[in-house]
């Protein structure tokens, strides 16, 4: 299986680039690597009794020195501290410039321009930022992506619109296909829609250490399928779905497909247009660093936009929002999928990360993501596997996204203890310690220090249970 059947420019080089970072690459020292080496030296002294620790530390130092994206770490607030942050796949670090952008907005745009800001700039912001996400993050031409509501609300709006259109065309299409380990909000929203519209949920049973495969999807779609909903990267296992192939299978069955890009946007290559996506939603507070609760984005294929009627009709989605007319008349294009007043403050911080992504390119970001997860797995094999931990993430980099999940029955307690040490992973049942590695803000030294702490903490927890 190839994860990028129709790669954009340079994406086919991601695997080669990620390999070079861990093959003892040398060359010009990347900005910030001296600081990383100093920070890791103290950690090394505490790990000297562990066979191979010095060699693994050397790998981290060499990878950081060779990393062409290393200098981006200095642009994030708090990245120069000793804290190890393994939760960038849940809430990203704030860029320093984003803090400045928000402060400037409050003082100058809001306080200075007041309501004039809507006419001068703010009304266009959801579409302008949406197009930037489309172009640099998800491989979508202009006019197909917009910043809107929360992920949950956008999932509801697009899913309801899709099944309504499908049933109107063919009343026999009464099934929504999803997997048993999809993110809870996806499952809950679709369950609600099925109850509202008298539809049936058709489940794909998946391993929590894996995700939906082409063979599994082929076995459940058919003439009754209205909509398929799949996460591109599984939130628990980081399984990277073969998006092009699953989209082809759905279309061959006459179904529409909606992709949840929450755990892939900004860390994993996406080619929405080239892969034939119909619909997609994604978070902006993970790898796009929009901040807590920043609004999500929605993608609707251009040829599908006029066929869908979204269920939350608000004044922002009308053809003339200031006409204040007696009836709702949907606007053309992506505006019809907007409902209420846009969260302008919530859209500010993500712009700084979009600038970084536009500079670096998703090919380089994906390459570093693969290298970071490969290094984390290497440390797991050396340190945690001998303690009974198992890998709950695909070992093949072509089949995993930007995080790694390590399983052990003691991981809930390990996670709680790590937080008290300023090492911040997160925990997911059953027994999963999730290591989220944001390519722009995470260094290999940080991975080394964090996994060393995880090893030592697991040792201590196990010793206490004896």
């Amino acid at each position: 299986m190839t994860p990028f059947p129709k790669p954009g420019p340079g994406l086919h080089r991601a695997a080669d680039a990620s390999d070079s970072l861990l093959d003892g690459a040398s060359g010009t020292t990347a900005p910030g690597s001296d600081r990383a080496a100093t920070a890791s030296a103290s950690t090394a002294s505490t790990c000297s009794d562990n066979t191979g620790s010095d060699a693994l530390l050397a790998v981290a130092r060499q990878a950081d020195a060779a990393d062409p994206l290393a200098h981006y770490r200095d642009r994030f607030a708090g990245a120069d501290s000793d804290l190890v942050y393994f939760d960038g796949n849940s809430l990203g670090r704030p860029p320093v410039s984003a803090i400045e952008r928000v402060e400037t907005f409050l003082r100058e745009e809001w306080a200075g321009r007041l309501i004039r800001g809507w006419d001068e700039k703010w009304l266009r912001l959801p579409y302008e930022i949406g197009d930037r996400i489309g172009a640099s993050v998800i491989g979508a031409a202009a006019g197909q992506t917009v910043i809107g509501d929360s992920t949950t609300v956008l999932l509801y709006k697009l899913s309801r619109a899709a099944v309504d259109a499908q049933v109107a065309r063919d009343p026999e299409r009464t099934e929504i296909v999803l997997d048993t380990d999809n993110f809870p909000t996806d499952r809950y929203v679709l369950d609600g829609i099925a109850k509202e519209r008298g539809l049936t949920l058709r489940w794909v049973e998946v391993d929590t250490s894996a995700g939906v495969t082409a063979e599994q999807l082929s076995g459940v779609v058919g003439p009754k399928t209205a909509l398929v909903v799949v996460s591109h990267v599984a939130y628990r296992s980081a399984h990277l779905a073969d998006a092009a192939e699953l989209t082809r299978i759905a279309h061959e069955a006459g179904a529409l497909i909606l992709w949840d890009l929450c755990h892939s946007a900004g860390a994993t290559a996406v080619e929405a247009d080239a892969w034939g996506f119909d619909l997609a939603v994604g978070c902006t507070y993970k790898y796009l660093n929009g901040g807590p609760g920043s609004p999500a984005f929605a993608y609707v294929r251009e040829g599908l936009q006029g066929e869908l009627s979204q269920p939350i009709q608000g004044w922002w989605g009308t053809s003339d929002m200031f006409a204040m007319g007696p009836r709702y008349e949907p606007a053309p294009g992506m505006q019809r999928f907007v409902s209420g007043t846009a969260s302008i403050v919530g859209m500010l911080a993500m712009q700084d990360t979009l600038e970084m992504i536009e500079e670096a390119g998703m090919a380089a970001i994906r390459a570093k993501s693969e290298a970071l997860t490969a290094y984390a797995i290497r440390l797991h094999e050396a340190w945690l596997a001998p303690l009974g931990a198992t890998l709950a993430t695909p070992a093949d980099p072509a089949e995993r996204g930007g995080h790694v999940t390590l399983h052990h029955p003691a991981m809930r307690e390990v996670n709680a203890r790590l937080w008290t040490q300023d090492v911040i992973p997160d925990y997911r049942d059953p027994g999963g310690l999730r290591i989220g590695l944001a390519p722009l803000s995470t260094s290999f030294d940080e991975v080394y220090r964090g996994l060393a702490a995880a090893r030592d903490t697991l040792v201590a927890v196990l010793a206490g249970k004896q």
Side-chain angles (χ1 to χ4, degrees), residues 40-62:
S40 61
S42 61
T43 304
S45 66
T46 68
C47 302
S48 58
D49 292 336
N50 296 282
T51 302
S53 290
D54 290 346
L56 292 168
L57 175 57
V59 170
R61 288 176 171 175
Q62 290 169 340

Side-chain angles (χ1 to χ4, degrees), residues 347-366:
M347 296 182 202
L348 298 176
M350 67 183 77
Q351 296 177 63
D352 295 88
T353 296
L354 287 174
E355 289 177 3
M356 294 185 228
I357 293 173
E358 289 160 353
E359 291 173 12
M362 277 307 306
I365 291 170
R366 169 61 177 165

Side-chain angles (χ1 to χ4, degrees), residues 3-4 6-8 11 133-140 232-233 240 243 259-275 277 280 297 299 362-363 366:
F4 315 129
K6 295 182 179 179
L11 289 182
I133 290 174
S136 62
V137 179
I138 67 169
H232 187 214
V233 172
L240 178 62
W259 284 96
D260 182 333
L261 304 178
C262 286
H263 282 86
S264 54
T268 302
V270 179
E271 294 289 342
D273 288 350
W275 296 344
F277 284 11
F297 65 86
Y299 164 94
M362 277 307 306
R366 169 61 177 165

Side-chain angles (χ1 to χ4, degrees), residues 10 31 66 80 83 104 180 276 281 299-300 306 312 351 372 390 448 463:
D80 57 349
L83 183 143
T104 299
T180 54
V281 298
Y299 164 94
V300 182
I312 305 179
Q351 296 177 63
L372 285 168
T390 57
Y448 179 92

Side-chain angles (χ1 to χ4, degrees), residues 11 51 60 97 116 128 135 137 254 351 409 440 445 464:
L11 289 182
T51 302
S97 57
R116 293 172 292 185
E128 292 174 353
V137 179
Q351 296 177 63
L440 292 173
D445 166 78

Side-chain angles (χ1 to χ4, degrees), residues 97-111:
S97 57
I99 297 172
E100 296 166 352
R101 181 190 294 271
V102 172
E103 291 176 345
T104 299
F105 175 88
L106 297 178
R107 292 193 184 97
E108 298 180 7
E109 291 194 39
W110 181 11

